[in-house]
Amino acid sequence: MGYEFQPDFGTPASRADETVTLSIDGHSVTVPAGTTVMRAAAEAGLAIPKLCATDTLKQFGSCRLCLVEIDGARGTPASCTTPVAEGMVVRTGGERLMRLRRGVMELYLTDHPADCSACAEGDCEVLAQAEAVGLETVRYGPGADHQCEAVDASNPYFDFDPAKCIVCSRCVRACDEIQGTFALTIDGRGFASTVSAGLPSDDFLSSECVSCGACVQACPTGALQERTVKELGMPDRAVVTTCGYCGVGCTFRAEMQGEQLIRMVPWKDGKANRGHSCVKGRFAWGYANHKERILNPMIRASIDEPWREVSWDQAFAHAASELQRIQAKYGRLSIGGITSSRCTDEETFLVQKLVRAGFGNNNVDTCARVCHSPTGYGLSATLGTSAGTQDFDSVEQCDVMMVIGANPTDGHPVFASRMKQRLRQGAKLIVVDPRRIDLVRAPHIEAAYHLPLRPGTNVAVLTAMAHVVVTECLADENFIRARCDWDAYSEWAAFVADARHSPETLAPVTLVDPRQLREAARLYATGGNAAIFYGLGVTEHSQGSSAVIALANLAMATGNFGRPGVGVNPLRGQNNVQGSCDMGSFPHELSGYRHIADPGLRAMFEADWGVPLDPEPGLRIPNMLDAAVDGVFKALYVQGEDILQSDPNTKHVAAGLAAMECVIVHDLFLNETANYAHIFLPGSTFLEKNGTFINAERRIQMVRKVMEPLNGYEDWEVTQGLANALGLGWSYAHPSEIMDEIARLTPTFAGVSFAKLDALGSIQWPCNAAAPEGTPVMHADGFVRGKGRFVVTEYIPTDEKTGPRYPLLLTTGRILSQYNVGAQTRRTANTVWHPEDLLEIHPHDAEQRGLKDGDWAKLASRSGETTLRVTVTDRVAPGVVYTTFHHPATQANVVTTEYSDWATSCPEYKVTAVQVSPSNGPTEWQEDYEALTDRSRRIAAEAAE
């Protein structure tokens, strides 16, 4: 049976309220005013031939296949560019139109390969449209054509075959209108016209193309085609699921051929991505079948011994025996667990339940500890709940965007494309970042203000902006009196109005031009709907919680809550970091951010779970490691996280893990943490499981099993197996039953079920009796805590100081092609773009140290040192250096310190005093570590054989 792909219906319908009624081929059709004739015909179930039109792009009218006749109109206008009118009479068929269309198609076919593999596979629209217009033969003989032009195979994921190109411009328009990169153009004129990726000498790989796949998806002829389709053929079935990469939460159609994944196609009905994708979600899924993936459980008595492959039952029994032995010897509090922000809500919920109900303590934490825990604290303190306030669609109504401590084009590229679309429509942009991120200046975009602050001074900058708002009477007093605690506001306003908080007074601290800061504050306060988007550059500081509070203060003071286009919006890093927090992964909270000390809350969970719960909060991740070094914390179950590579001060993490008697790693690969593991439980990818993820806009989305788990179990089944080996007697048959339990115990999820998610596509929590279909915009009628609470945020400099030995400040971040610690993307062709971490350094600082582009440099701090190559650039300011943390060979976190946020222990990754000096290559520490990693992988391979 053939597979039915998504149809294109011409250009999008207008959103106008006014409607128009017309006749098309004798059918009466009523559509919104502004709708094109092609779209109106599609609404009536009438297909008009086309090649250049698609419902994801603006009307273009170049292919001349969609010609129609309209009573009273001259000629045969293109239906894709002709708007409807009241009483219009349209004919889409007839001999005259078909003769014209056949003539057009003959010209296309003379320049199209007769042996087109895409046509044969059904992945080329040329042949289908030729059949649609009744073309059987071509009258023209051989002549000049483009069929001898060379294929551009430079991109690792798709090829460009000019011979198949009909110059319809769909790829160029997709790059412009959807992605916003403007990497493609039509070069030449007339018959010499061709699609070009930048300069004539550029190929796709060396051009500005970001490999989002929009051009490939738009191409109607197979001129741009995925390698997997060319090699394996077309899919025959598809499953709609949610991407397992960043916090945007893109929806994809995983298109399959049996159990073989052929391609991931962004789903047009996905409410987070609206049919768009990035290079990671679209193409970087090959890690699921990578040869280094571990598929069978393994155990060993000590980390110096070789791994021994065992059955699942043996692994569960051994793990349970070790955990029970350790608790019997060292006490109930001597073990704990870490949940994963890459796993589903249901899987995360089970891990925290295992710790609380099975281990008998609250020693559970999640990777959000080291990224967005200040978001939880700061937004809860001011607004009453820990989550972003708007949906992504809200950006379309935003007039002013303030992006602080985030790099959306690299970290959240699909949402960044929507931001760029709005900015090109006239919205204004304020960027607060020590580095010149891409959004500061991009094609047809330039930030109104870039405030390149000194790393670590977010709170000072935000307080200075608040000073301008209050002292220049720009605050929204009506909003504040109606929605906020006036006494708290009065105290805060008096604090920020003090002269010591003026932009001029704080300029020596922040290094931000006071005039620019004042103008940026005025724009934010008076420019219309103003939205704040922030990332780890806000949270990963010693004052991370204070900075989040300062953002909420600023938004409340200017009335920017409760409607589309405004709000405070954390751009979550991993695919389910929001969900892992929502599910109760912190040691002091149960699901829904409710404190474990509440006796009524505990009683409800105890009645449902049938076990008593400890009222005392447990250990955070850094506390677990400290306790391990002290000899009192002895066992850890780590689900889907690589804390040795991702957490700060790598040597301390290694010491903590080495001091434990039982480390259980549950993951896809033998990651860096697994070098210290005693039990390895193979994990499953997002393609191999059912469940839900929650993205940065609180959107709960279905994750559907695309293929059977190669390891035999979904991750929730692995946790259930361990729980039952401990005697808990769990009997979940499907993740939907776990979601039912979550909904039963969590008020904000009370109305959520798999059945409702299937019916609605997705739901944004809270979803309950008051909001049965979810809540796109939070705090519309009032804040969750009641009155919004202003909190004074005194700027306190970090304890991490520069000086003669360490005169530079290091800050870290991500890059588009790689993801987090790189465990997935490093095992794909994405390494073509970023094969190693590089150190960005300003030309002045590089010259002082005798460094040139590509040189090896030693990066040293008070915690440790590593080496990496440098790239000399003015994207960073003098005195600041920047690197990524995707490659374990670099071990960037060897350098970062243990300084952390005062409220949440979130590490201060973004401010480390360092020195940079020339080097001859990797350090001895790196070489030793690389040898350890290679040895571990070799042992695993031998065990598998």
Side-chain angles (χ1 to χ4, degrees):
M1 181 181 294
Y3 170 60
E4 183 179 349
F5 291 93
Q6 301 173 91
D8 289 336
F9 294 123
T11 52
S14 166
R15 297 185 180 182
D17 295 330
E18 180 186 351
T19 60
V20 169
T21 299
L22 69 158
S23 172
I24 305 179
D25 292 345
H27 299 270
S28 180
V29 183
T30 300
V31 293
T35 301
T36 64
V37 169
M38 176 179 283
R39 179 73 187 193
E43 295 289 340
L46 304 170
I48 299 176
K50 61 181 175 59
L51 277 174
C52 73
T54 168
D55 64 349
T56 61
L57 301 171
K58 297 174 184 175
Q59 53 264 47
F60 194 62
S62 71
C63 74
R64 313 309 295 170
L65 273 187
C66 70
L67 307 176
V68 294
E69 295 177 328
I70 300 175
D71 284 1
R74 297 178 59 185
T76 52
S79 63
C80 71
T81 59
T82 303
V84 297
E86 183 65 35
M88 178 183 278
V89 177
V90 180
R91 287 177 298 281
T92 68
E95 181 52 34
R96 179 190 179 209
L97 288 174
M98 295 301 280
R99 185 177 67 254
L100 291 171
R101 290 169 181 162
R102 285 194 293 271
V104 171
M105 279 306 307
E106 280 188 280
L107 296 175
Y108 281 127
L109 286 177
T110 61
D111 198 21
H112 191 72
D115 59 348
C116 173
S117 59
C119 285
E121 290 282 355
D123 199 30
C124 177
E125 297 175 26
V126 171
L127 185 61
Q129 293 305 317
E131 293 174 351
V133 302
L135 182 65
E136 297 179 353
T137 60
V138 177
R139 293 172 292 171
Y140 309 115
D145 57 36
H146 301 92
Q147 295 183 30
C148 295
E149 295 187 23
V151 173
D152 181 348
S154 61
N155 189 285
Y157 294 118
F158 60 84
D159 295 338
F160 172 54
D161 185 353
K164 298 176 184 176
C165 178
I166 60 172
V167 199
C168 65
S169 293
R170 271 166 60 166
C171 60
V172 177
R173 291 148 57 205
C175 190
D176 294 358
E177 298 171 22
I178 298 175
Q179 169 57 30
T181 297
F182 297 87
L184 304 182
T185 188
I186 301 297
D187 189 34
R189 302 185 66 181
F191 187 74
S193 297
T194 183
V195 171
S196 173
L199 299 173
S201 60
D202 286 347
D203 54 24
F204 268 83
L205 185 63
S206 60
S207 74
E208 293 182 353
C209 169
V210 294
S211 299
C212 69
C215 60
V216 179
Q217 188 174 4
C219 181
T221 69
L224 286 160
Q225 191 176 45
E226 291 99 325
R227 296 263 179 88
T228 49
V229 174
K230 294 178 69 172
E231 295 168 2
L232 301 173
M234 289 293 287
D236 52 32
R237 67 182 180 92
V239 179
V240 175
T241 191
T242 303
C243 181
Y245 278 116
C246 79
V248 173
C250 296
T251 308
F252 280 87
R253 292 167 62 89
E255 297 187 348
M256 307 290 295
Q257 193 183 90
E259 284 290 294
Q260 174 71 54
L261 178 59
I262 301 297
R263 63 185 175 189
M264 295 286 283
V265 179
W267 196 38
K268 297 175 184 177
D269 292 335
K271 294 179 181 178
N273 59 318
R274 302 294 183 188
H276 191 31
S277 60
C278 80
V279 62
K280 294 188 286 291
R282 183 73 158 88
F283 297 116
W285 40 264
Y287 68 88
N289 295 303
H290 196 275
K291 62 182 181 181
E292 290 182 1
R293 188 171 165 191
I294 306 300
L295 301 179
N296 297 297
M298 301 186 298
I299 63 175
R300 57 184 178 181
S302 76
I303 63 173
D304 298 320
E305 295 183 6
W307 287 106
R308 178 167 59 90
E309 195 172 291
V310 296
S311 70
W312 277 106
D313 287 343
Q314 289 174 311
F316 291 144
H318 178 67
S321 174
E322 282 294 278
L323 294 172
Q324 290 168 336
R325 175 188 68 78
I326 289 170
Q327 279 192 308
K329 182 176 180 180
Y330 299 102
R332 177 175 53 86
L333 303 179
S334 61
I335 66 174
I338 297 176
T339 73
S340 174
S341 291
R342 289 190 285 114
C343 288
T344 65
D345 297 313
E346 296 75 17
E347 290 163 345
T348 301
F349 184 83
L350 285 197
V351 172
Q352 65 86 31
K353 181 178 179 179
L354 171 67
V355 173
R356 292 189 162 104
F359 297 179
N361 61 50
N362 292 306
N363 292 338
V364 62
D365 209 350
T366 185
C367 80
R369 171 69 54 207
V370 299
C371 61
H372 266 288
S373 51
T375 288
Y377 184 92
L379 296 185
S380 293
T382 51
L383 313 179
T385 191
S386 170
T389 59
Q390 323 298 121
D391 59 358
F392 288 154
D393 287 347
S394 179
V395 76
E396 297 175 6
Q397 299 179 54
C398 182
D399 300 309
V400 178
M401 303 177 200
M402 185 164 82
V403 176
I404 176 170
N407 186 4
T409 55
D410 280 12
H412 305 85
V414 171
F415 181 61
S417 294
R418 299 191 67 180
M419 297 174 80
K420 289 191 286 186
Q421 290 173 15
R422 180 61 187 144
L423 290 169
R424 292 188 182 108
Q425 293 167 0
K428 303 298 183 183
L429 173 65
I430 302 165
V431 173
V432 185
D433 199 287
R435 186 168 172 261
R436 193 181 70 243
I437 63 172
D438 290 343
L439 283 181
V440 171
R441 190 174 296 110
H444 306 293
I445 290 173
E446 185 165 4
Y449 301 100
H450 175 212
L451 309 182
L453 75 170
R454 178 199 289 267
T457 62
N458 287 327
V459 172
V461 167
L462 295 170
T463 302
M465 292 183 73
H467 174 91
V468 176
V469 170
V470 170
T471 59
E472 296 188 8
C473 301
L474 304 179
D476 188 339
E477 185 173 326
N478 291 334
F479 178 90
I480 297 166
R481 288 190 179 277
R483 300 284 304 276
C484 304
D485 183 323
W486 182 258
D487 290 340
Y489 169 73
S490 298
E491 180 185 354
W492 173 80
F495 167 77
V496 299
D498 192 295
R500 66 191 176 97
H501 296 133
S502 73
E504 291 75 16
T505 304
L506 288 172
V509 173
T510 65
L511 302 184
V512 173
D513 181 341
R515 181 182 58 83
Q516 291 275 301
L517 193 151
R518 282 189 178 274
E519 292 177 1
R522 291 167 187 149
L523 174 62
Y524 175 78
T526 64
N529 288 337
I532 295 170
F533 301 97
Y534 73 92
L536 306 186
V538 166
T539 56
E540 291 180 343
H541 288 274
S542 60
Q543 281 201 288
S545 292
S546 297
V548 174
I549 291 170
L551 292 173
N553 288 341
L554 195 61
M556 286 190 292
T558 52
N560 280 303
F561 277 116
R563 62 186 186 278
V566 298
V568 176
N569 305 283
L571 296 176
R572 303 289 195 169
Q574 296 195 69
N575 55 302
N576 201 35
V577 70
Q578 180 69 57
S580 68
C581 299
D582 296 340
M583 294 300 104
S585 293
F586 290 127
H588 65 293
E589 289 176 335
L590 290 162
S591 58
Y593 305 98
R594 295 164 296 164
H595 204 285
I596 190 71
D598 183 339
L601 176 64
R602 282 200 317 281
M604 179 176 67
F605 276 82
E606 288 170 345
D608 196 274
W609 292 352
V611 295
L613 298 182
D614 188 344
E616 292 296 322
L619 298 176
R620 300 170 176 180
I621 293 173
N623 303 136
M624 294 180 195
L625 295 169
D626 290 343
V629 172
D630 291 341
V632 295
F633 188 86
K634 290 293 185 179
L636 183 65
Y637 170 39
V638 187
Q639 176 203 51
E641 294 296 339
D642 189 358
I643 62 172
L644 189 61
Q645 189 177 343
S646 65
D647 284 29
N649 195 343
T650 303
K651 291 182 180 179
H652 180 65
V653 177
L657 292 170
M660 297 183 199
E661 295 184 8
C662 180
V663 175
I664 305 170
V665 169
H666 176 185
D667 214 316
L668 302 174
F669 305 101
L670 278 174
N671 58 27
E672 309 312 303
T673 304
N675 288 323
Y676 293 88
H678 305 85
I679 300 170
F680 188 90
L681 304 177
S684 53
T685 71
F686 79 104
L687 297 167
E688 302 166 327
K689 62 179 66 173
N690 292 297
T692 56
F693 292 153
I694 304 175
N695 73 350
E697 52 173 354
R698 296 170 285 105
R699 189 178 300 280
I700 310 166
Q701 302 185 100
M702 292 293 293
V703 180
R704 295 181 177 89
K705 186 188 293 185
V706 171
M707 59 183 72
E708 290 302 314
L710 296 181
N711 66 338
Y713 290 112
E714 298 178 43
D715 286 333
W716 68 269
E717 294 176 296
V718 173
T719 302
Q720 177 165 273
L722 177 57
N724 288 338
L726 289 167
L728 295 185
W730 293 353
S731 58
Y732 303 104
H734 190 269
S736 62
E737 298 175 5
I738 307 172
M739 177 53 75
D740 290 342
E741 182 174 322
I742 295 166
R744 187 169 65 243
L745 294 171
T746 314
T748 49
F749 285 74
V752 180
S753 67
F754 275 31
K756 182 178 284 190
L757 287 166
D758 276 330
L760 298 180
S762 64
I763 298 170
Q764 289 175 266
W765 67 257
C767 175
N768 45 35
E773 295 191 358
T775 309
V777 175
M778 293 281 283
H779 316 299
D781 301 316
F783 293 107
V784 172
R785 71 179 309 277
K787 293 284 189 179
R789 180 186 173 212
F790 286 83
V791 179
V792 169
T793 54
E794 186 77 56
Y795 167 66
I796 301 173
T798 173
D799 288 335
E800 178 71 348
K801 309 293 185 186
T802 57
R805 288 187 63 196
Y806 304 106
L808 305 175
L809 284 176
L810 167 71
T811 187
T812 62
R814 299 178 179 179
I815 200 164
L816 171 64
S817 59
Q818 297 291 344
Y819 173 71
N820 205 30
V821 297
Q824 295 147 277
T825 46
R826 281 187 287 104
R827 292 175 170 91
T828 71
N830 278 28
T831 53
V832 166
W833 291 284
H834 190 72
E836 60 182 327
D837 294 318
L838 299 172
L839 184 72
E840 292 185 5
I841 185 169
H842 189 272
H844 173 75
D845 295 325
E847 183 177 4
Q848 280 192 326
R849 290 158 176 80
L851 291 168
K852 302 184 301 296
D853 247 357
D855 285 353
W856 281 96
K858 181 171 74 171
L859 178 67
S861 74
R862 296 179 178 91
S863 296
E865 62 183 50
T866 185
T867 59
L868 65 173
R869 298 183 194 273
V870 302
T871 180
V872 180
T873 174
D874 62 0
R875 292 188 69 170
V876 291
V880 176
V881 292
Y882 170 90
T883 190
T884 53
F885 53 92
H886 303 302
H887 292 271
T890 306
Q891 287 292 307
N893 282 322
V894 169
V895 177
T896 54
T897 71
E898 291 188 277
Y899 292 125
S900 61
D901 175 48
W902 62 271
T904 65
S905 300
C906 183
E908 191 171 44
Y909 292 113
K910 305 305 183 188
V911 185
T912 304
V914 296
Q915 178 60 286
V916 177
S917 56
S919 172
N920 293 323
T923 65
E924 183 178 341
W925 189 93
Q926 285 174 283
E927 292 175 345
D928 290 346
Y929 194 83
E930 190 69 19
L932 175 63
T933 302
D934 289 343
R935 176 175 175 271
S936 181
R937 289 172 179 164
R938 186 176 65 255
I939 291 170
E942 291 171 355
E945 292 173 0

